[in-house]
Amino acid sequence: MKKLYRVYVSLLSLSLFFSACETEDELIEERLENNPLPPVGAISGDPGTVNLGKFVAIGNSLTAGLMDAALYSSGQQNSFPNILANHFQAVEGLDAGTFNQPDISSTNGYNISINNVGGQVAGRFILDTSIPGPIPTVGELPTPYGGDRSQLNNFGVPGARVLDVAASGYGQVNPFFARFASSANASMLGDASAAQGSFFTVWLGGNDVLSWARVGGAAPDGEENPDAEQTEANTLSSINSFTQAYSNVINSMLAAHTDARGVAITIPSITLLPFFRAVTYDPIALDQANADALNAGYADYNQGVQAAAQFGMITEEEAALRNISFQLTTNANETNAVVILDEDLSDITLPDPQGGDPIVLPKLRQANASDLLTFNVATLLGTSTEAGIYGLEAPVENQYVLTLNEQIVLNTRIAFFNGIIAQIVASTGGRVALVDVNTIFADVAGLTAEQATQLGLSSEAIASADGVQGIVVDGVSLQPDFSPNGIISTDGVHPNPKGHALVANAIIEVMNEAFEADIPPIDITPFRTVVVAL
């Protein structure tokens, strides 16, 4: 393919550099991060049938308070379990006990997306509005928890699937659990059950689908390859394995305390997250020379596709889908779609007109509005590779794209899992209540009722889908992104503190209804959104 003269790529980019702050700037940032709880005063409530003397939380990164792609102290302090626990303790009449977390004792933590940049350990992301996008801070490697591990209440472990929580020795493969596990052979569920919570929260299942989605569906499906669930962490969990594992979690938490009550939180509709929305399918602007060079380079491929259609090897519709064409960019409405690999396309093998070996056409097409590019591809688009410019001459690989077919598989599995969670909760005789977090996601994402139905969301979530993006809280419109008014942190996946506070209030609302409690809602105003680089 002809080399490009010049390429202009307009997209949300991740500039990987460390920001330096003066002492005063650091103090300002610290004040922005650590929003103390507002003065509570004489607020009273009633726990109803719930004993809040021992609150235990088990889950993944959402429970741990990981945000901005890192587990760091301020994020842990703003986890929804800690927000709830602080509120329970502040409300007179709830008789709530203490709540201890395995503090990582790090201002910036350890970035799980970028392990090392410039020879230094990368920490959490902060938002740089001049890019716009996140930049990493200087972090540090996780260290063992130095407190009393027998007195912990929060058993949230980043990366944990439902399938992992009962595994003995899980800390040997997950350092986030190893740092506070009770022993080398401990399991998350064993330690959480041993804490004997009289009230508990379970937010699990996200990694059983998210890990597969984050790699563009380029990992095994447990329904087709059950063995992969034990060997490949990115495997899409099977329905049978998920059902057994989730039921075990709920039963174990109930059995840990005679009077235990709890709430189980559903899996969010993850394709609505900024991680799959921030990078558009058509971010490329080209001048005429580059457009011409690309079109010339793909001429043989396009001719092969047309020949396959003429021979009846593929349909005319597929031929049109696979035709690759670029145009001059003269305004914002004329950007070009990236070229992607799509394994769902038909195999095409054509005879060589010169009598040589058969010609196998690659499974290429340009992305369209139905495709979702992952957030981490932003650093690759427009860069030079041995095969040419990434996204143009060198196609975007499957691991960075969720095609429509993959989205259907993903959203169907999430709907199944959420249905399973609801059934297991219903079987507890009222001891566990269900928190449908998608009532928040559908509302803030601006879904219509039709779109919510297509995603397989619950009737409650469909009812909350008003077609208007954002939700207004205390006169402020909160958005489904990591903007200064967003509820998602800068990694595009995890909630920021204000997002966690929204989840905490959703839990309180369900507790009041299911357990005859009268717990006042949390004032979410003081909780920050994202930290902006100064």
Side-chain angles (χ1 to χ4, degrees), residues 54-83:
K54 186 68 175 291
F55 171 23
V56 171
I58 183 170
N60 49 42
S61 53
L62 296 168
T63 296
L66 186 145
M67 57 186 74
D68 303 312
L71 189 67
Y72 60 99
S73 294
S74 177
Q76 288 182 293
Q77 292 161 12
N78 285 289
S79 67
F80 81 88
N82 201 49
I83 292 173

Side-chain angles (χ1 to χ4, degrees), residues 339-352:
V339 178
I340 67 172
L341 283 168
D342 184 350
E343 296 299 331
D344 289 330
L345 295 175
S346 302
D347 294 321
I348 299 177
T349 302
L350 298 170
D352 184 0

